[in-house]
Amino acid sequence: MERIEPTIEVAQQWVDEARTPAARAHALTRLSTVLEHQGHYDASLQAAEEAYQVAEEIGDSNAMSVALRCRSAIASERGQYAIALEWLHQAVALCQGSGNTLGAAMATSNIGSVYRHTADYSRALEYMKEALSTFEALQESAHIARVMGNIGTVYGELSDHPRALECFTKALAEYQSLGDRRGAAIVTGNIGYEMFQLSDYPRALEHMTKALAEHEALGDRPEAANVIGNIGAVFFELSDYPRAIECFTKSLAEFEAIGDRARAGRMTGNIGSVYRMLRDYPHALEYYTKAHDTFTVLGHAGYAARAVANIGGIYHELQEYPQALECMTVAVEAFRSVGDRDGVAQAMASMGRTYLELLDPQHALECLTEARLEYEALGNQAGIARTTQNMGVVYSIKEFEHYSLAKTEELIKQSIALNTKLGRKDFDTHHALSQVYQQEGRWEEALTEFQAFHELKEEIESEEAKKKVLQLEQQRQIAEMEKRTAAERAHAEATTRVLHNILPPTIAARVVRGEERIAEEFPAVTVLFADIVEFTTLSQGISPAELVNGLDYLFSRFDEIAEKHGMEKIKTIGDAYMAVAGLPEAQQNHAERAASMAVEMLKVASSFHGLITGKPISLRIGLHSGTVVAGIIGKKKFAYDLWGDAVNVASRMESHGMPGKIHVSKDYMQAAGAYANFAYRGVMKVKGRGMMETYFLEKILPSGAAEPVG
């Protein structure tokens, strides 16, 4: 079943209505999670801290661990990874101390996710796999699916796409077996992202579009917006910048609308990257700066640092090197403060390249050396190859006190070997080595490396040309797929509209989500039946078209009245109209709502002359309060209907009523209380119930002070 996240208001209401400390602690952690998902980090942390205090006061270690996990989620979002890890280890210890194996595994999985954010993938996998083993032993399918998806994400970031897809496929199967459409949609989107990483853009968009349609059907706006952003990334890679900006902008608008400021900041940064590729540096700086300001306000130091690093990259491309170095220095310090070693490595490498442009080999080597050490610690072989090549270039600068072409040759050969091992085609390394050999007069070796450079460059250019052709073909396939998707979506939207027209909104949403059996008992509702007095006689005096038009107008007015008073129309049968108050959402004032509707229906009917000109019509209305069962019947033609004794009694109240009167049971009168004034009709025999006392509802009392029943 899908978990639809509550609004902040609903989550706060749960807190306010909590009657015990344990219930309050639980409600506060739910509120913290909702606030965190929408980017309200300060309020989220406050709720989590209060939850921890409440749990600590009653000695509930399990609730304390949940609160710690909430606090760690906020710290992680803000890039405060060391604090997040500290709290999570405390959560593990609390769960282990109380024998809560499942809670300990959940916190362990969270530790792995924090290490993933810091690009420490070996530790991420270690903790995630430990958690997976526990979940499997406990047969916790939902947690197995979730952590399997997280492991797939780690493998994806390690560029181990086959293993990533294997994990995502297993996670998808788990979610499908659970009937969890939301989880399945998220993993489907992840599979699409892996296809994107493999440059299989049509299949990437196919999976992403499928995931998007599912999230939209489920009403999951945050995940839908996230997928739209990923679709924008595909178009960005295809150099289709207008459509990339369109997707990023739409995703940004959605995140802003739902209050998810963190992901809105990321989309803002993506838009900046599009402008950077278009060499529109003023707009790129504008959006990177907006992203930085957003993350700074949120206290998300890690993402703020990346925005600063991007700004530094712009200044580097503008050859404004001092400003570039200033930005990179700020970024490095920020990355260090949050323990983001991958960020430190990238920023230090960028600083090294900038110092090379300034012909400052000493500082360039220092920065590049530190960057390589970070990459080595993280196991990032591609990063090691890039920085090693640049270090070799440093030693080839004659003004450098440690100038050494032998060292340059050694480092560049190391870079070439790593690139070959990784399958990376970097022709610049061969060109750099050729220049070294030329300086040393080693002409034959220089020619060999130059030929390698030339052949590799031609191969890449040929691949680029093929890629352009492939991109055109892929864009054609994408256009065809989008037409099919648009048609499918239009059909789905039309189906949804029809369902919302014939079913209550919440029930229609459940049908759209895939629920096949919907049947629920409602202990306190009021059922209304109404029909037109002497309808058969009236209908004989007019044409069929006039009859249909007249009933359509009258029942449409009744529909409007039902909506006005929060009633749910159930059906019409001929001239009879049936509605109910108190479901599918419970309503304490269901009797009052039904009274208001019934009185207004009589007024509308008395002023309606649409069946026979000049002659008003009269209604009989019956009301009864009690218990009903409500549910969906049919598999192809859906109908939402009611069953139970309350339905039968309400129908008898109408059929045994009088023209222009609202006939009600004693149960209804007691449910309405002081809301209306009633006249005693007497005792009558009701089929299936025997003798019953019944009443006429005479008027609604605005003061709420009922007059004695006469």
Side-chain angles (χ1 to χ4, degrees), residues 404-415:
S404 170
L405 291 179
K407 188 68 173 177
T408 297
E409 179 184 5
E410 175 191 341
L411 291 169
I412 292 178
K413 281 186 172 181
Q414 288 178 14
S415 178

Side-chain angles (χ1 to χ4, degrees), residues 66-288:
V66 175
L68 284 168
R69 288 172 52 218
C70 289
R71 291 165 72 182
S72 73
I74 303 154
S76 184
E77 277 295 326
R78 284 177 158 172
Q80 299 167 344
Y81 302 121
I83 296 173
L85 288 171
E86 179 183 343
W87 283 336
L88 286 170
H89 281 294
Q90 289 178 23
V92 171
L94 283 168
C95 290
Q96 290 175 338
S98 64
N100 183 356
T101 306
L102 177 60
M106 292 167 69
T108 300
S109 177
N110 293 151
I111 292 171
S113 294
V114 174
Y115 279 123
R116 181 181 73 81
H117 287 306
T118 65
D120 191 341
Y121 298 124
S122 60
R123 286 190 179 181
L125 288 173
E126 175 189 343
Y127 281 94
M128 288 179 184
K129 288 180 178 180
E130 179 184 340
L132 176 61
S133 177
T134 303
F135 292 143
E136 288 175 337
L138 296 173
Q139 297 183 333
E140 287 285 343
S141 297
H143 292 295
I144 291 171
R146 193 170 296 112
V147 76
M148 187 66 75
N150 290 338
I151 292 172
T153 300
V154 173
Y155 281 128
E157 291 176 3
L158 285 168
S159 299
D160 190 344
H161 304 301
R163 293 175 80 175
L165 287 170
E166 179 185 349
C167 290
F168 288 142
T169 301
K170 289 180 180 178
L172 180 60
E174 289 286 350
Y175 281 126
Q176 289 174 335
S177 68
L178 291 167
D180 186 341
R181 289 175 62 189
R182 182 177 185 272
I186 290 172
V187 175
T188 299
N190 289 341
I191 292 172
Y193 196 79
E194 283 305 302
M195 296 299 177
F196 162 63
Q197 294 293 328
L198 291 166
S199 300
D200 190 344
Y201 303 122
R203 290 180 68 193
L205 286 173
E206 179 184 346
H207 282 82
M208 290 179 185
T209 304
K210 182 178 179 181
L212 175 60
E214 191 75 344
H215 287 309
E216 289 178 338
L218 295 170
D220 192 344
R221 292 178 68 186
E223 287 301 331
N226 193 55
V227 174
I228 291 169
N230 286 339
I231 291 172
V234 175
F235 287 128
F236 180 86
E237 191 65 23
L238 286 167
S239 303
D240 191 342
Y241 300 124
R243 293 171 85 179
I245 280 193
E246 179 184 348
C247 289
F248 291 148
T249 302
K250 184 176 180 181
S251 178
L252 170 62
E254 276 293 288
F255 284 134
E256 288 178 336
I258 61 180
D260 191 334
R261 295 177 292 171
R263 289 200 277 192
R266 294 171 202 172
M267 285 303 119
T268 302
N270 287 346
I271 294 172
S273 296
V274 175
Y275 282 120
R276 183 176 180 178
M277 292 302 296
L278 293 170
R279 300 292 189 268
D280 185 346
Y281 296 124
H283 277 103
L285 285 171
E286 176 189 345
Y287 279 90
Y288 282 147

Side-chain angles (χ1 to χ4, degrees), residues 5-9 11-12 28-49 70-71 73-75 77-78 254-264 266 294 297-300:
E5 184 164 282
T7 63
I8 293 174
E9 291 74 19
Q12 182 62 59
L28 282 165
T29 55
R30 291 292 305 276
L31 175 61
S32 174
T33 300
V34 173
L35 289 165
E36 182 256 318
H37 286 175
Q38 296 191 23
H40 300 287
Y41 297 135
D42 290 336
S44 176
L45 184 59
Q46 184 178 352
E49 288 174 341
C70 289
R71 291 165 72 182
I74 303 154
E77 277 295 326
R78 284 177 158 172
E254 276 293 288
F255 284 134
E256 288 178 336
I258 61 180
D260 191 334
R261 295 177 292 171
R263 289 200 277 192
R266 294 171 202 172
T294 297
V297 169
L298 293 174
H300 199 318

Side-chain angles (χ1 to χ4, degrees), residues 303-322:
Y303 279 105
R306 292 196 179 276
V308 172
N310 285 332
I311 292 170
I314 294 290
Y315 284 129
H316 180 95
E317 291 173 26
L318 289 170
Q319 299 183 1
E320 296 178 15
Y321 299 127

Side-chain angles (χ1 to χ4, degrees), residues 211-448:
L212 175 60
E214 191 75 344
H215 287 309
E216 289 178 338
L218 295 170
D220 192 344
R221 292 178 68 186
E223 287 301 331
N226 193 55
V227 174
I228 291 169
N230 286 339
I231 291 172
V234 175
F235 287 128
F236 180 86
E237 191 65 23
L238 286 167
S239 303
D240 191 342
Y241 300 124
R243 293 171 85 179
I245 280 193
E246 179 184 348
C247 289
F248 291 148
T249 302
K250 184 176 180 181
S251 178
L252 170 62
E254 276 293 288
F255 284 134
E256 288 178 336
I258 61 180
D260 191 334
R261 295 177 292 171
R263 289 200 277 192
R266 294 171 202 172
M267 285 303 119
T268 302
N270 287 346
I271 294 172
S273 296
V274 175
Y275 282 120
R276 183 176 180 178
M277 292 302 296
L278 293 170
R279 300 292 189 268
D280 185 346
Y281 296 124
H283 277 103
L285 285 171
E286 176 189 345
Y287 279 90
Y288 282 147
T289 302
K290 284 181 181 178
H292 170 263
D293 293 345
T294 297
F295 293 129
T296 300
V297 169
L298 293 174
H300 199 318
Y303 279 105
R306 292 196 179 276
V308 172
N310 285 332
I311 292 170
I314 294 290
Y315 284 129
H316 180 95
E317 291 173 26
L318 289 170
Q319 299 183 1
E320 296 178 15
Y321 299 127
Q323 288 172 283
L325 288 172
E326 182 180 345
C327 290
M328 293 301 174
T329 301
V330 171
V332 166
E333 292 307 312
F335 284 131
R336 282 178 175 153
S337 70
V338 299
D340 187 343
R341 302 185 71 174
D342 184 64
V344 171
Q346 290 186 43
M348 290 301 297
S350 296
M351 288 178 68
R353 291 191 296 272
T354 301
Y355 278 123
L356 274 174
E357 295 293 340
L358 290 169
L359 297 178
D360 184 344
Q362 184 60 47
H363 283 102
L365 184 61
E366 290 172 4
C367 292
L368 292 167
T369 300
E370 184 169 349
R372 189 170 74 168
L373 288 171
E374 293 291 348
Y375 282 133
E376 287 173 344
L378 294 169
N380 187 331
Q381 299 298 308
I384 295 170
R386 288 193 300 270
T387 51
T388 300
Q389 177 194 341
N390 287 326
M391 289 170 67
V393 174
V394 172
Y395 283 102
S396 69
I397 299 174
K398 290 184 178 180
E399 292 76 16
F400 184 33
E401 62 176 320
H402 300 296
Y403 166 75
S404 170
L405 291 179
K407 188 68 173 177
T408 297
E409 179 184 5
E410 175 191 341
L411 291 169
I412 292 178
K413 281 186 172 181
Q414 288 178 14
S415 178
I416 291 173
L418 269 175
N419 284 328
T420 302
K421 181 180 178 181
L422 294 170
R424 296 179 70 242
K425 298 176 180 179
D426 189 346
F427 54 79
D428 283 336
T429 52
H430 292 281
H431 188 256
L433 189 56
S434 174
Q435 290 179 322
V436 170
Y437 289 146
Q438 287 180 48
Q439 290 181 51
E440 292 187 328
R442 296 159 62 180
W443 305 112
E444 187 174 340
E445 291 168 290
L447 179 60
T448 300

Side-chain angles (χ1 to χ4, degrees), residues 531-538 575 617-620 658-660:
D531 81 340
I532 300 172
V533 178
E534 297 182 355
F535 174 74
T536 302
T537 302
L538 290 172
D575 65 317
I617 65 170
S618 182
L619 296 179
R620 277 192 306 265
M658 296 178 64

